Amino acid sequence: MKIGVAYYPEHWDRSLWEKDADRMLATGVKLVRLAEFAWCRLEPREGEFDFTWLDEAIALFAARGMEVVLCTPTSCPPMWLYEKHPEIVHVEKDGTPTRLGIRSHRCVSNPVFLRYADRITKKMALHYANEPAVVGWQIDNELEAYQCYCGHCIAGYREWLKAKYGTVENLNRAYGNVVWSGEYTSWTQITPPYGSLPHAWQNPAYMLDFYRFCSDNVVAFSNRQAAQLRRLCPGRPVTTNVWFCGHMPDFYRQFADLDFISYDNYPATRLPQDGESCYSHAFHLDMMRGVKRKPFWIMEQLSGGKGCWMPMEKPPQPGMIKGYALQAFAHGADTVVHFRWRTAAIGAEMHWHGLLDHSDVPGRRFEEFADLCRTAQTLSDVQGADIRSDVAILFGFENEYAFQIQPQTEGYYYLEQLQRLHRAFTALGLNVDVIGQHEPLEGYRIVCAPEMYVASPGVSERLTAFADQGGTVILTARSGVKDAHNNACMSQLPGVYRQLAGVHAVEYVPIGWDSIPLQFEDGTRLDARQWCDVLEPDTAQVLARYAGDYFAGAAAVTKNRYGKGTVYYIGTVGTQPVYDRIAAGAAEEAALPMIPGLPERVELCTRTKGESTVRFLFNNDQQPKRFTLEGQEMTLAPFEMKILRG
Ligand code: GAL
């Protein structure tokens, strides 16, 4: 397993380079990531390329046996390019071109920008094609599906719609444009959505297509670079680094033609108090692995206190640097690249701390990092090992977009129930995959399909077949609500899932921040929040009923037999124990190898290679933990990872 660092030779005096390379080698760094913002040094003037400094830096690392991941620098076009072609910038919704001064100002569909981006990419690819130290490429940096309103994006949007609908009449029908006299009579009348927030004033069908288009735009950009890199610098895997941001492209589409996924992982250094969100890092890592269902990389990993984009925060607590990198390995990463080797002394990010402080004196964090490097070297047996999961949770970007477009009720957000289900199964010591809703379901025993809001081809059919053949499906409210255009389906909910769930809602009641008691058959009382489907079973058995409000006594949670399988329907957004209960019941019925009694915030992940397994037992807490695991006394220090082979 490899540990790497992000390094910016262009920021440092040359006298430091060799010292840094020596220290990296001595520390156990295996890989260095370079150049993602360095366009102005690689092409200092139009058409004048200078790779000598980068060659020199690469040579220093290569001489010490370290590998290099090179990044295309297209996230930061140089100032001469903006001066010559001010039209390459991203345009805001109000028509204002983005003001220069930070980074990533460019529009990734502007043809002039693309011409220059292609050229620097090709030059780099050719220049390093015969450099064996270069083992892979990162495209750009944290590409987001920004909503750009420049002329090219508007024209591109119209073309995208033409390709999808053929005629404006088809489009009018698909969007229901008769409402508020929105019918187009020509393509030229179509604009991106200019209306102000909330989005809910705008046609949801039209909005969802715009989100899809913005995502496709950025995917086209990264595929374009990938094609050049592969052609001119063959044999090097290509990726791009992503994070959970406000403008996420559809990762499943974005990575379909890239070799592996890489994720920028910055866990919070102040732990959540509620205990409910403390498994969210694990969720994000499982989701990243699920994008390609393959081992992945962390391209940027927490190294020091965060700051600069916000006032400074606490640095990582003792144990976090090592623990969070090993946690990523446990969940399927096989390379973790720390951001960054040294803390910047210049530029906007001087308070986003790296492993070494400004003083250059190795401190507590650095020592812990060195310890991590030593541990990583003992994990070669885990390299490429699988994570076999009996449980999957389905995710769909169209649902994510549609919920952003039309918030359902106060406090409701899409990921919450996915995370609660994930936490419930993780707490049982089970591996959990978070996968795209179009992935095949063979091999799973339990598939959680929360909030299947927007219809997507084949999904309900596959879930139905899965249950029919003996699988367990967990469905929730807000399923079967929309057709593929994001228009409401005219059937009793959960619409296409009704037969599978064996239940229907006679009414739904968004309750926002209120809560209503839920009473389970054994008398246990828990809480329902945000949303209440008032359910009437068709064939399902009732597991819990509402115990408050005018619909007290109505079914809230049900269980149905479908074919050889079982289908749970959670008609509300419960507190965590609701999901824990259902997960435990479903896992027990499916005879999954649960590890009961893991303390809260302790995670167990199993990676398998052939017949051998490696178990990672992680304490994601600042408190030590003492417990018994399969008859053995265990103690875990704060953020400690125990690696158990067997
Ligand atoms: C990432 C980004 C890096 C750096 C880091 C810390 O999102 O890719 O370039 O900015 O955050 O702010």
Short mmCIF file of all heavy atoms in Angstrom, two decimals, residues 66-115:
data_model
loop_
_atom_site.label_atom_id
_atom_site.label_comp_id
_atom_site.label_asym_id
_atom_site.label_seq_id
_atom_site.Cartn_x
_atom_site.Cartn_y
_atom_site.Cartn_z
N MET A 66 11.06 6.93 -6.12
CA MET A 66 9.67 7.33 -5.90
C MET A 66 8.94 7.47 -7.23
O MET A 66 9.55 7.83 -8.24
CB MET A 66 9.62 8.66 -5.13
CG MET A 66 9.93 8.48 -3.67
SD MET A 66 9.87 10.07 -2.83
CE MET A 66 11.57 10.35 -2.57
N GLU A 67 7.66 7.21 -7.19
CA GLU A 67 6.84 7.35 -8.39
C GLU A 67 6.20 8.74 -8.42
O GLU A 67 6.10 9.40 -7.38
CB GLU A 67 5.74 6.29 -8.38
CG GLU A 67 6.30 4.89 -8.41
CD GLU A 67 5.21 3.83 -8.32
OE1 GLU A 67 4.12 4.12 -7.77
OE2 GLU A 67 5.45 2.71 -8.80
N VAL A 68 5.75 9.11 -9.61
CA VAL A 68 5.15 10.44 -9.76
C VAL A 68 3.79 10.33 -10.43
O VAL A 68 3.63 9.58 -11.39
CB VAL A 68 6.09 11.34 -10.62
CG1 VAL A 68 5.37 12.61 -11.09
CG2 VAL A 68 7.35 11.69 -9.84
N VAL A 69 2.82 11.05 -9.88
CA VAL A 69 1.56 11.24 -10.59
C VAL A 69 1.57 12.67 -11.08
O VAL A 69 1.75 13.60 -10.29
CB VAL A 69 0.36 11.00 -9.67
CG1 VAL A 69 -0.92 11.56 -10.26
CG2 VAL A 69 0.18 9.53 -9.47
N LEU A 70 1.40 12.81 -12.37
CA LEU A 70 1.39 14.16 -12.93
C LEU A 70 -0.04 14.60 -13.15
O LEU A 70 -0.91 13.80 -13.51
CB LEU A 70 2.09 14.16 -14.29
CG LEU A 70 3.60 14.35 -14.30
CD1 LEU A 70 4.07 14.48 -15.73
CD2 LEU A 70 4.00 15.59 -13.50
N CYS A 71 -0.24 15.89 -12.95
CA CYS A 71 -1.59 16.44 -13.15
C CYS A 71 -1.56 17.40 -14.32
O CYS A 71 -0.58 18.13 -14.49
CB CYS A 71 -2.03 17.21 -11.92
SG CYS A 71 -1.81 16.30 -10.39
N THR A 72 -2.63 17.40 -15.09
CA THR A 72 -2.73 18.44 -16.12
C THR A 72 -3.13 19.73 -15.40
O THR A 72 -3.94 19.71 -14.47
CB THR A 72 -3.76 18.06 -17.19
OG1 THR A 72 -5.04 17.93 -16.58
CG2 THR A 72 -3.39 16.76 -17.89
N PRO A 73 -2.56 20.86 -15.81
CA PRO A 73 -2.71 22.08 -15.02
C PRO A 73 -3.90 22.94 -15.44
O PRO A 73 -3.93 24.14 -15.16
CB PRO A 73 -1.40 22.80 -15.32
CG PRO A 73 -1.10 22.42 -16.73
CD PRO A 73 -1.64 21.04 -16.95
N THR A 74 -4.87 22.32 -16.10
CA THR A 74 -5.89 23.11 -16.79
C THR A 74 -6.88 23.80 -15.85
O THR A 74 -7.72 24.58 -16.30
CB THR A 74 -6.65 22.20 -17.77
OG1 THR A 74 -6.98 20.98 -17.09
CG2 THR A 74 -5.79 21.86 -18.96
N SER A 75 -6.75 23.51 -14.56
CA SER A 75 -7.63 24.20 -13.63
C SER A 75 -7.24 25.67 -13.48
O SER A 75 -8.06 26.50 -13.11
CB SER A 75 -7.54 23.44 -12.30
OG SER A 75 -7.82 24.26 -11.25
N CYS A 76 -5.96 25.98 -13.78
CA CYS A 76 -5.47 27.36 -13.59
C CYS A 76 -4.80 27.89 -14.85
O CYS A 76 -3.56 27.92 -14.93
CB CYS A 76 -4.47 27.40 -12.45
SG CYS A 76 -5.24 27.22 -10.85
N PRO A 77 -5.57 28.37 -15.82
CA PRO A 77 -4.93 28.98 -16.99
C PRO A 77 -4.08 30.17 -16.58
O PRO A 77 -4.40 30.86 -15.61
CB PRO A 77 -6.12 29.42 -17.87
CG PRO A 77 -7.26 28.59 -17.40
CD PRO A 77 -7.02 28.34 -15.94
N PRO A 78 -3.00 30.42 -17.32
CA PRO A 78 -2.12 31.53 -16.96
C PRO A 78 -2.73 32.89 -17.32
O PRO A 78 -3.64 32.97 -18.15
CB PRO A 78 -0.86 31.26 -17.79
CG PRO A 78 -1.30 30.37 -18.89
CD PRO A 78 -2.52 29.64 -18.46
N MET A 79 -2.19 33.93 -16.72
CA MET A 79 -2.74 35.27 -16.90
C MET A 79 -2.66 35.75 -18.35
O MET A 79 -3.54 36.46 -18.81
CB MET A 79 -2.03 36.26 -15.97
CG MET A 79 -2.45 36.08 -14.53
SD MET A 79 -4.24 36.31 -14.34
CE MET A 79 -4.55 35.35 -12.89
N TRP A 80 -1.59 35.35 -19.07
CA TRP A 80 -1.50 35.81 -20.46
C TRP A 80 -2.68 35.28 -21.29
O TRP A 80 -3.13 35.92 -22.22
CB TRP A 80 -0.15 35.45 -21.10
CG TRP A 80 0.24 33.99 -21.08
CD1 TRP A 80 1.15 33.40 -20.27
CD2 TRP A 80 -0.28 32.93 -21.92
NE1 TRP A 80 1.25 32.05 -20.52
CE2 TRP A 80 0.38 31.74 -21.54
CE3 TRP A 80 -1.22 32.87 -22.95
CZ2 TRP A 80 0.12 30.51 -22.15
CZ3 TRP A 80 -1.48 31.65 -23.56
CH2 TRP A 80 -0.82 30.48 -23.15
N LEU A 81 -3.17 34.10 -20.89
CA LEU A 81 -4.29 33.52 -21.64
C LEU A 81 -5.58 34.29 -21.34
O LEU A 81 -6.36 34.62 -22.26
CB LEU A 81 -4.41 32.03 -21.30
CG LEU A 81 -5.52 31.24 -21.97
CD1 LEU A 81 -5.57 31.46 -23.47
CD2 LEU A 81 -5.35 29.74 -21.70
N TYR A 82 -5.79 34.63 -20.07
CA TYR A 82 -6.99 35.42 -19.73
C TYR A 82 -6.92 36.81 -20.38
O TYR A 82 -7.94 37.36 -20.80
CB TYR A 82 -7.08 35.61 -18.21
CG TYR A 82 -7.52 34.38 -17.46
CD1 TYR A 82 -6.73 33.84 -16.45
CD2 TYR A 82 -8.74 33.76 -17.73
CE1 TYR A 82 -7.14 32.72 -15.74
CE2 TYR A 82 -9.15 32.64 -17.02
CZ TYR A 82 -8.34 32.12 -16.03
OH TYR A 82 -8.75 31.01 -15.33
N GLU A 83 -5.69 37.36 -20.46
CA GLU A 83 -5.58 38.69 -21.06
C GLU A 83 -5.91 38.64 -22.55
O GLU A 83 -6.66 39.44 -23.08
CB GLU A 83 -4.17 39.24 -20.85
CG GLU A 83 -4.05 40.67 -21.36
CD GLU A 83 -2.63 41.18 -21.31
OE1 GLU A 83 -1.68 40.38 -21.46
OE2 GLU A 83 -2.47 42.40 -21.11
N LYS A 84 -5.36 37.61 -23.19
CA LYS A 84 -5.58 37.51 -24.64
C LYS A 84 -7.01 37.07 -24.97
O LYS A 84 -7.59 37.53 -25.95
CB LYS A 84 -4.58 36.50 -25.21
CG LYS A 84 -4.68 36.36 -26.70
CD LYS A 84 -3.49 35.64 -27.29
CE LYS A 84 -3.70 35.56 -28.81
NZ LYS A 84 -2.84 34.55 -29.41
N HIS A 85 -7.55 36.20 -24.13
CA HIS A 85 -8.90 35.66 -24.41
C HIS A 85 -9.78 35.76 -23.17
O HIS A 85 -10.11 34.74 -22.54
CB HIS A 85 -8.79 34.19 -24.84
CG HIS A 85 -8.15 34.01 -26.16
ND1 HIS A 85 -8.74 34.41 -27.34
CD2 HIS A 85 -6.95 33.49 -26.49
CE1 HIS A 85 -7.93 34.12 -28.35
NE2 HIS A 85 -6.84 33.57 -27.87
N PRO A 86 -10.18 36.98 -22.83
CA PRO A 86 -11.00 37.11 -21.61
C PRO A 86 -12.30 36.31 -21.70
O PRO A 86 -12.93 36.02 -20.69
CB PRO A 86 -11.28 38.62 -21.53
CG PRO A 86 -10.84 39.20 -22.83
CD PRO A 86 -9.92 38.25 -23.50
N GLU A 87 -12.66 35.93 -22.93
CA GLU A 87 -13.93 35.21 -23.10
C GLU A 87 -13.89 33.77 -22.60
O GLU A 87 -14.93 33.10 -22.59
CB GLU A 87 -14.34 35.24 -24.59
CG GLU A 87 -13.53 34.34 -25.53
CD GLU A 87 -12.21 34.97 -26.02
OE1 GLU A 87 -11.76 35.97 -25.43
OE2 GLU A 87 -11.65 34.43 -27.00
N ILE A 88 -12.73 33.29 -22.14
CA ILE A 88 -12.70 31.88 -21.70
C ILE A 88 -13.23 31.69 -20.29
O ILE A 88 -13.32 30.57 -19.81
CB ILE A 88 -11.27 31.27 -21.77
CG1 ILE A 88 -10.33 31.94 -20.75
CG2 ILE A 88 -10.71 31.30 -23.18
CD1 ILE A 88 -9.03 31.18 -20.55
N VAL A 89 -13.59 32.78 -19.63
CA VAL A 89 -14.02 32.60 -18.24
C VAL A 89 -15.45 32.08 -18.13
O VAL A 89 -16.28 32.25 -19.04
CB VAL A 89 -13.90 33.90 -17.39
CG1 VAL A 89 -12.45 34.31 -17.23
CG2 VAL A 89 -14.77 34.99 -17.93
N HIS A 90 -15.68 31.51 -17.01
CA HIS A 90 -16.99 31.03 -16.59
C HIS A 90 -17.91 32.26 -16.40
O HIS A 90 -17.45 33.29 -15.94
CB HIS A 90 -16.71 30.31 -15.27
CG HIS A 90 -17.88 29.93 -14.48
ND1 HIS A 90 -18.37 28.66 -14.49
CD2 HIS A 90 -18.66 30.63 -13.64
CE1 HIS A 90 -19.40 28.59 -13.69
NE2 HIS A 90 -19.61 29.78 -13.16
N VAL A 91 -19.17 32.14 -16.79
CA VAL A 91 -20.09 33.27 -16.65
C VAL A 91 -21.17 32.94 -15.61
O VAL A 91 -21.75 31.85 -15.62
CB VAL A 91 -20.72 33.62 -18.03
CG1 VAL A 91 -21.79 34.69 -17.89
CG2 VAL A 91 -19.63 34.09 -18.99
N GLU A 92 -21.38 33.88 -14.73
CA GLU A 92 -22.37 33.69 -13.66
C GLU A 92 -23.80 33.78 -14.22
O GLU A 92 -24.01 34.29 -15.31
CB GLU A 92 -22.23 34.77 -12.58
CG GLU A 92 -20.85 34.90 -11.97
CD GLU A 92 -20.45 33.68 -11.15
OE1 GLU A 92 -21.33 32.92 -10.75
OE2 GLU A 92 -19.24 33.50 -10.95
N LYS A 93 -24.73 33.39 -13.39
CA LYS A 93 -26.14 33.39 -13.79
C LYS A 93 -26.61 34.79 -14.21
O LYS A 93 -27.43 34.94 -15.11
CB LYS A 93 -26.96 32.89 -12.61
CG LYS A 93 -28.38 32.58 -12.95
CD LYS A 93 -29.14 32.28 -11.68
CE LYS A 93 -29.37 30.82 -11.53
NZ LYS A 93 -30.27 30.49 -10.43
N ASP A 94 -26.09 35.82 -13.56
CA ASP A 94 -26.53 37.18 -13.90
C ASP A 94 -25.78 37.73 -15.10
O ASP A 94 -25.88 38.91 -15.42
CB ASP A 94 -26.37 38.11 -12.70
CG ASP A 94 -24.91 38.29 -12.30
OD1 ASP A 94 -24.02 37.70 -12.98
OD2 ASP A 94 -24.64 39.02 -11.33
N GLY A 95 -25.01 36.88 -15.78
CA GLY A 95 -24.32 37.29 -16.99
C GLY A 95 -22.94 37.88 -16.72
O GLY A 95 -22.21 38.21 -17.66
N THR A 96 -22.55 37.98 -15.45
CA THR A 96 -21.24 38.56 -15.15
C THR A 96 -20.15 37.53 -15.36
O THR A 96 -20.23 36.43 -14.79
CB THR A 96 -21.16 38.96 -13.64
OG1 THR A 96 -22.38 39.55 -13.29
CG2 THR A 96 -19.99 39.86 -13.35
N PRO A 97 -19.14 37.88 -16.14
CA PRO A 97 -18.01 36.95 -16.25
C PRO A 97 -17.31 36.85 -14.90
O PRO A 97 -17.18 37.86 -14.20
CB PRO A 97 -17.08 37.61 -17.28
CG PRO A 97 -17.88 38.72 -17.90
CD PRO A 97 -18.96 39.10 -16.93
N THR A 98 -16.90 35.66 -14.50
CA THR A 98 -16.22 35.49 -13.22
C THR A 98 -15.00 36.39 -13.16
O THR A 98 -14.24 36.48 -14.12
CB THR A 98 -15.77 34.02 -13.07
OG1 THR A 98 -16.92 33.22 -13.10
CG2 THR A 98 -15.02 33.78 -11.77
N ARG A 99 -14.84 37.09 -12.05
CA ARG A 99 -13.68 37.96 -11.88
C ARG A 99 -12.46 37.10 -11.55
O ARG A 99 -12.57 36.17 -10.75
CB ARG A 99 -13.90 38.93 -10.72
CG ARG A 99 -15.16 39.74 -10.86
CD ARG A 99 -14.94 40.91 -11.78
NE ARG A 99 -16.20 41.61 -11.97
CZ ARG A 99 -16.54 42.20 -13.10
NH1 ARG A 99 -15.75 42.17 -14.15
NH2 ARG A 99 -17.69 42.83 -13.20
N LEU A 100 -11.34 37.45 -12.12
CA LEU A 100 -10.12 36.71 -11.81
C LEU A 100 -9.69 37.01 -10.38
O LEU A 100 -10.06 38.04 -9.83
CB LEU A 100 -9.01 37.11 -12.77
CG LEU A 100 -9.30 36.90 -14.25
CD1 LEU A 100 -8.03 37.14 -15.06
CD2 LEU A 100 -9.82 35.50 -14.53
N GLY A 101 -8.89 36.13 -9.83
CA GLY A 101 -8.37 36.40 -8.49
C GLY A 101 -8.27 35.17 -7.61
O GLY A 101 -7.54 35.20 -6.63
N ILE A 102 -8.98 34.12 -7.94
CA ILE A 102 -8.84 32.92 -7.12
C ILE A 102 -8.27 31.82 -8.03
O ILE A 102 -7.12 31.89 -8.42
CB ILE A 102 -10.15 32.52 -6.42
CG1 ILE A 102 -10.73 33.74 -5.67
CG2 ILE A 102 -9.90 31.38 -5.44
CD1 ILE A 102 -12.02 33.50 -4.95
N ARG A 103 -9.06 30.86 -8.42
CA ARG A 103 -8.58 29.83 -9.35
C ARG A 103 -9.77 29.20 -10.05
O ARG A 103 -10.91 29.46 -9.69
CB ARG A 103 -7.74 28.78 -8.62
CG ARG A 103 -8.51 27.95 -7.62
CD ARG A 103 -7.64 26.91 -6.92
NE ARG A 103 -8.45 26.08 -6.05
CZ ARG A 103 -7.97 25.18 -5.20
NH1 ARG A 103 -6.67 24.98 -5.11
NH2 ARG A 103 -8.78 24.48 -4.45
N SER A 104 -9.49 28.38 -11.03
CA SER A 104 -10.53 27.64 -11.77
C SER A 104 -11.60 28.55 -12.37
O SER A 104 -12.79 28.26 -12.28
CB SER A 104 -11.21 26.61 -10.86
OG SER A 104 -10.27 25.86 -10.18
N HIS A 105 -11.18 29.65 -12.96
CA HIS A 105 -12.16 30.60 -13.49
C HIS A 105 -12.69 30.19 -14.86
O HIS A 105 -13.57 30.82 -15.41
CB HIS A 105 -11.52 31.98 -13.67
CG HIS A 105 -10.80 32.49 -12.47
ND1 HIS A 105 -9.44 32.38 -12.32
CD2 HIS A 105 -11.25 33.10 -11.37
CE1 HIS A 105 -9.08 32.92 -11.17
NE2 HIS A 105 -10.15 33.36 -10.57
N ARG A 106 -12.09 29.17 -15.45
CA ARG A 106 -12.37 28.89 -16.85
C ARG A 106 -13.66 28.10 -17.06
O ARG A 106 -14.09 27.34 -16.19
CB ARG A 106 -11.20 28.15 -17.49
CG ARG A 106 -11.13 26.68 -17.15
CD ARG A 106 -10.70 26.45 -15.73
NE ARG A 106 -10.54 25.06 -15.41
CZ ARG A 106 -11.34 24.40 -14.58
NH1 ARG A 106 -12.39 24.99 -14.04
NH2 ARG A 106 -11.12 23.13 -14.31
N CYS A 107 -14.22 28.28 -18.26
CA CYS A 107 -15.37 27.46 -18.65
C CYS A 107 -14.84 26.28 -19.44
O CYS A 107 -14.17 26.47 -20.46
CB CYS A 107 -16.33 28.28 -19.50
SG CYS A 107 -17.51 27.22 -20.36
N VAL A 108 -15.14 25.07 -18.99
CA VAL A 108 -14.54 23.89 -19.62
C VAL A 108 -15.18 23.54 -20.97
O VAL A 108 -14.78 22.57 -21.59
CB VAL A 108 -14.56 22.65 -18.71
CG1 VAL A 108 -13.72 22.88 -17.47
CG2 VAL A 108 -15.98 22.22 -18.37
N SER A 109 -16.15 24.33 -21.44
CA SER A 109 -16.62 24.06 -22.81
C SER A 109 -16.29 25.20 -23.75
O SER A 109 -16.70 25.15 -24.92
CB SER A 109 -18.10 23.70 -22.84
OG SER A 109 -18.81 24.34 -21.86
N ASN A 110 -15.55 26.18 -23.30
CA ASN A 110 -15.18 27.26 -24.21
C ASN A 110 -14.15 26.73 -25.23
O ASN A 110 -13.10 26.22 -24.84
CB ASN A 110 -14.56 28.41 -23.39
CG ASN A 110 -14.17 29.55 -24.28
OD1 ASN A 110 -13.21 29.44 -25.04
ND2 ASN A 110 -14.92 30.63 -24.22
N PRO A 111 -14.43 26.86 -26.54
CA PRO A 111 -13.54 26.25 -27.54
C PRO A 111 -12.13 26.84 -27.53
O PRO A 111 -11.17 26.12 -27.81
CB PRO A 111 -14.22 26.54 -28.88
CG PRO A 111 -15.47 27.26 -28.60
CD PRO A 111 -15.62 27.47 -27.13
N VAL A 112 -12.01 28.12 -27.19
CA VAL A 112 -10.66 28.70 -27.14
C VAL A 112 -9.89 28.10 -25.97
O VAL A 112 -8.75 27.66 -26.10
CB VAL A 112 -10.73 30.25 -27.02
CG1 VAL A 112 -9.33 30.83 -26.85
CG2 VAL A 112 -11.44 30.83 -28.23
N PHE A 113 -10.55 28.04 -24.82
CA PHE A 113 -9.90 27.40 -23.67
C PHE A 113 -9.51 25.96 -24.03
O PHE A 113 -8.40 25.50 -23.74
CB PHE A 113 -10.82 27.42 -22.44
CG PHE A 113 -10.35 26.50 -21.36
CD1 PHE A 113 -9.23 26.82 -20.60
CD2 PHE A 113 -11.00 25.29 -21.12
CE1 PHE A 113 -8.76 25.95 -19.61
CE2 PHE A 113 -10.53 24.42 -20.13
CZ PHE A 113 -9.41 24.76 -19.39
N LEU A 114 -10.42 25.25 -24.67
CA LEU A 114 -10.15 23.84 -24.99
C LEU A 114 -8.94 23.70 -25.91
O LEU A 114 -8.14 22.77 -25.76
CB LEU A 114 -11.38 23.20 -25.64
CG LEU A 114 -12.55 22.95 -24.67
CD1 LEU A 114 -13.79 22.47 -25.42
CD2 LEU A 114 -12.15 21.92 -23.60
N ARG A 115 -8.80 24.67 -26.82
CA ARG A 115 -7.64 24.60 -27.73
C ARG A 115 -6.34 24.69 -26.92
O ARG A 115 -5.42 23.92 -27.11
CB ARG A 115 -7.75 25.76 -28.73
CG ARG A 115 -7.03 25.49 -30.02
CD ARG A 115 -7.33 26.54 -31.06
NE ARG A 115 -6.77 27.84 -30.73
CZ ARG A 115 -7.43 28.99 -30.78
NH1 ARG A 115 -8.71 29.01 -31.13
NH2 ARG A 115 -6.84 30.14 -30.49
#
